[in-house]
Amino acid sequence: MTDINTASLCERIIRTDFGPLTGTVASVLLTRGRLPLSQIIRFSKLRPRSVRGAIIVLVQHNLLWHAETDIDGEVVEVNVEECLMRMRYGKYVWFAEQHFGKAAAEVVQLILDNGPTLYSQALHKLVETHYLKPSTILSHISPRDKRIRYETEEKARISGFPTAKQVREAKEIAEVRLKREEEEAEKVGMKRKAKDQLAGKSSKRKALDEDVVDDDVYFRVNCEKFNILIRNQIIEEAAKERFNHQAGTVIRAILKATEPKQLHLADVRSDPTSLGDVATHLSDEEDLAEGFVLPPSKKPSEMTLLKDYCGILASADNPTPAGQAASFISLNGSKVQVEFDIIGRRLKRRVLEAVARERHGDAAVRIIRLLLQTGKMDEKQISKIGMMSPKESRPLLGALSAESLISIQEVPKSADRNPARTFYLWHVDLHKTYTVLVGTLYKTLHNIGSRRQAEEEEPVVKAVLEKRQRTDVMQDEERLLTRNEREVLAQWEKKREKLTVLEQRVEEGVFILRDFGSPGINDE
């Protein structure tokens, strides 16, 4: 089961998108975990027909997994990952329009099974570039159950009591089997079609193979591929913020050159690409020279400017560990690679420091940076090196520990673990800290949704919104709405816009902490 903040957010997402009945079914599953149909009907207190309809809707949208158990038979559980991705669907549609045009955006938005001729080419591009992937039987089965089964099978092959190394190897083999099975299942979607073509002036025809979309396959949005675009956009904005607009343009070109091979968010770095290939992805309208202060009589070539920008992004002038930790790319001769893992760690630390500064001031950021740089330290060392008095550091350490921004490690001097003879060392457990921060951000997203709903359900606003839905009012709002009603609408739309912007900022923080880099929150 998920934590309370994540469960509340998922329930609100499903209730908003699919209505109260489906939201009630989702709430039961999120609160009580996986259940069979009979138990869902019992706890939701809904009619069996309504529960079945809600489950069908959720399964169709890949929001429910089902599994077979020895005790309850077939059970279903909420696919939390897919549910949370629904908050980014607007971005996915926007990215599809930017990359492939309006028709592709409509395909992503509607996920057409067999669209008209207008959508056939866009659908082919989306499937070919992995932005849409086939919906298979495996996508509706809980991967956790299969992982456990594969691990059990691998452990059964071990004779005697398994060692820690053998258990770890069994888990790795099970994970590889699961991933291979998923990749094999998702190879469907495209098929070979014979195409006749005239061979010059001869009347003979030869058959050429052509890839076309298989009409018998159902497709769904590949969230990971669209999340890669979100990650790339965040990297570009970070480079612009760190250096200037032209540096962001250069790293965007590098990402664009390697985009077809970017298939997983867990990639540590991008595939290497040449500077010549990067240069072809630079827009003609961009003038890289504007980012440098150059003498008016001398203007270097575009390739020279590109090399200079790559040197800046790679921190070539600072080969120390600190310089490498601040880099965006790595250079290997004429090859360039974007360092996703380094950028992700840096952005996560920035979110952590921003939260600490907002809640406890600059002194808290100083303590966190000190602990991250030096490791475990006791209170006296923190006060001395951080140039803080014990009266300042002691309550601040307690406040940071209460919010799980820092952790404490007990080191007893004797076996009786007497507190008077125990060292207490402070440190930053990044995995724990990021997990707590993500839970807090989920709670914030839930509160934003509640605030939006409360504003919308104000009696005056609700009456005006209902009036606005009338067909005659939709045709002529200026004449059929009074001045006060138009002012109420303007105020409501302004509040909704502010809440939406805030929601997007918080969601970006969730993306950085949870999805940027390796899967899950696994920084050390």
Side-chain angles (χ1 to χ4, degrees):
M1 296 195 305
T2 58
D3 61 272
I4 184 171
N5 295 324
T6 307
S8 300
L9 179 59
C10 290
E11 179 189 351
R12 175 161 294 280
I13 292 171
I14 294 175
R15 192 177 295 274
T16 301
D17 291 353
F18 302 103
L21 294 179
T22 310
T24 302
V25 173
S27 177
V28 170
L29 291 170
L30 287 165
T31 305
R32 299 179 179 274
R34 53 169 60 180
L35 294 171
L37 177 62
S38 59
Q39 295 293 330
I40 298 175
I41 296 172
R42 175 190 170 192
F43 291 123
S44 65
K45 299 180 182 179
L46 297 174
R47 295 181 178 180
R49 183 176 180 181
S50 300
V51 174
R52 291 191 188 96
I55 290 176
I56 290 173
V57 169
L58 292 174
V59 168
Q60 184 174 355
H61 287 269
N62 204 43
L63 293 175
L64 283 189
W65 279 325
H66 67 85
E68 293 285 341
T69 63
D70 298 332
I71 300 174
D72 296 322
E74 186 175 15
V75 294
V76 294
E77 63 176 315
V78 177
N79 184 351
V80 177
E81 301 287 334
E82 191 74 21
C83 184
L84 294 173
M85 291 300 107
R86 297 187 71 85
M87 298 191 66
R88 302 173 187 167
Y89 276 11
K91 286 186 178 180
Y92 295 169
V93 174
W94 183 83
F95 277 122
E97 184 173 358
Q98 295 296 313
H99 283 69
F100 303 105
K102 187 176 180 180
E106 294 184 10
V107 170
V108 172
Q109 188 172 0
L110 302 175
I111 309 296
L112 296 174
D113 297 327
N114 292 296
T117 309
L118 173 66
Y119 299 105
S120 59
Q121 186 176 4
L123 181 63
H124 183 277
K125 288 181 180 178
L126 290 168
V127 175
E128 189 177 35
T129 52
H130 306 286
Y131 288 96
L132 293 182
K133 62 180 180 180
S135 181
T136 63
I137 296 177
L138 289 178
S139 62
H140 298 284
I141 299 176
S142 174
R144 183 170 61 251
D145 292 87
K146 301 196 71 173
R147 185 178 293 109
I148 292 173
R149 194 182 76 204
Y150 289 163
E151 289 179 7
T152 305
E153 292 176 359
E154 295 299 329
K155 290 177 183 178
R157 299 176 182 176
I158 302 173
S159 60
F161 191 79
T163 63
K165 181 180 179 181
Q166 290 174 328
V167 171
R168 185 176 64 254
E169 291 176 350
K171 290 182 178 180
E172 293 174 354
I173 295 173
E175 192 67 32
V176 170
R177 286 179 59 186
L178 183 62
K179 188 174 294 185
R180 186 188 301 118
E181 192 175 89
E182 292 175 353
E183 291 175 354
E184 289 293 331
E186 291 178 359
K187 284 184 178 180
V188 298
M190 304 291 288
K191 63 181 182 179
R192 310 291 286 180
K193 180 181 178 182
K195 180 180 178 182
D196 290 337
Q197 181 179 355
L198 289 174
K201 298 181 181 180
S202 173
S203 59
K204 295 182 180 180
R205 298 176 182 268
K206 59 180 180 180
L208 296 179
D209 288 337
E210 180 184 54
D211 286 335
V212 295
V213 178
D214 192 346
D215 294 336
D216 298 327
V217 177
Y218 293 88
F219 294 95
R220 61 190 180 99
V221 173
N222 186 1
C223 294
E224 186 173 23
K225 186 66 176 177
F226 281 100
N227 285 341
I228 288 173
L229 299 182
I230 297 176
R231 178 197 64 189
N232 294 350
Q233 186 183 50
I234 292 175
I235 293 175
E236 179 185 345
E237 294 299 324
K240 289 180 180 178
E241 182 181 345
R242 174 66 179 83
F243 300 107
N244 55 26
H245 177 78
Q246 285 70 29
T249 301
V250 170
I251 202 165
R252 179 178 62 195
I254 298 172
L255 291 168
K256 197 73 176 177
T258 60
E259 190 176 288
K261 296 181 180 179
Q262 297 175 24
L263 300 178
H264 304 289
L265 279 172
D267 293 339
V268 175
R269 58 183 60 86
S270 67
D271 286 349
T273 184
S274 64
L275 291 176
D277 193 13
V278 173
T280 60
H281 289 84
L282 289 172
S283 173
D284 296 335
E285 300 175 357
E286 296 288 347
D287 186 6
L288 298 182
E290 293 181 358
F292 290 122
V293 179
L294 300 171
S297 60
K298 181 180 179 182
K299 184 178 180 181
S301 64
E302 185 181 71
M303 184 58 68
T304 302
L305 292 171
L306 178 59
K307 290 180 180 179
D308 291 340
Y309 274 110
C310 287
I312 294 173
L313 291 169
S315 298
D317 59 338
N318 187 7
T320 64
Q324 296 304 312
S327 65
F328 284 82
I329 64 175
S330 60
L331 291 173
N332 185 12
S334 61
K335 298 293 183 178
V336 183
Q337 289 179 288
V338 180
E339 297 291 338
F340 298 132
D341 187 64
I342 294 176
I343 298 171
R345 290 175 184 270
R346 190 165 62 246
L347 292 177
K348 289 175 183 180
R349 280 193 57 174
R350 190 171 71 173
V351 173
L352 170 60
E353 292 176 1
V355 172
R357 181 178 288 108
E358 181 182 358
R359 295 179 182 176
H360 305 286
D362 292 335
V365 178
R366 193 190 315 166
I367 290 177
I368 289 176
R369 288 179 177 177
L370 179 62
L371 292 176
L372 286 173
Q373 183 178 1
T374 60
K376 295 181 174 67
M377 302 177 69
D378 64 14
E379 184 180 318
K380 292 181 180 179
Q381 291 174 315
I382 293 174
S383 299
K384 182 179 179 180
I385 300 175
M387 294 183 292
M388 303 169 63
S389 65
K391 291 183 179 180
E392 292 177 318
S393 62
R394 186 174 296 114
L396 190 53
L397 288 170
L400 291 172
S401 178
E403 297 180 2
S404 297
L405 296 182
I406 62 175
S407 303
I408 191 169
Q409 175 70 50
E410 298 180 0
V411 182
K413 295 181 181 179
S414 56
D416 59 355
R417 294 184 175 271
N418 190 331
R421 294 191 298 273
T422 301
F423 292 112
Y424 294 95
L425 304 179
W426 298 94
H427 68 285
V428 180
D429 185 346
L430 287 178
H431 181 276
K432 177 183 176 181
T433 302
Y434 292 155
T435 302
V436 173
L437 286 180
V438 168
T440 304
L441 293 178
Y442 281 157
K443 184 178 180 180
T444 303
L445 289 171
H446 175 264
N447 292 340
I448 292 172
S450 300
R451 174 65 182 274
R452 184 189 290 112
Q453 183 178 356
E455 294 286 350
E456 188 175 349
E457 291 179 352
E458 284 286 334
V460 178
V461 176
K462 187 175 182 180
V464 176
L465 291 176
E466 289 177 353
K467 182 178 179 180
R468 194 185 191 183
Q469 296 300 318
R470 286 167 32 188
T471 54
D472 56 335
V473 177
M474 293 172 64
Q475 295 175 358
D476 192 0
E477 289 188 3
E478 292 293 330
R479 187 171 62 87
L480 297 178
L481 289 179
T482 64
R483 179 180 178 182
N484 289 336
E485 289 174 338
R486 290 197 296 270
E487 289 179 354
V488 169
L489 276 178
Q491 292 177 359
W492 152 242
E493 289 175 353
K494 189 175 181 180
K495 290 179 181 178
R496 184 179 62 178
E497 182 181 357
K498 289 182 178 179
L499 289 171
T500 303
V501 172
L502 177 60
E503 186 179 57
Q504 291 300 315
R505 289 177 178 173
V506 176
E507 215 287 321
E508 182 176 309
V510 172
F511 181 87
I512 291 173
L513 292 175
R514 182 177 176 273
D515 299 315
F516 202 117
S518 301
I521 306 166
N522 62 350
D523 277 301
E524 298 178 359

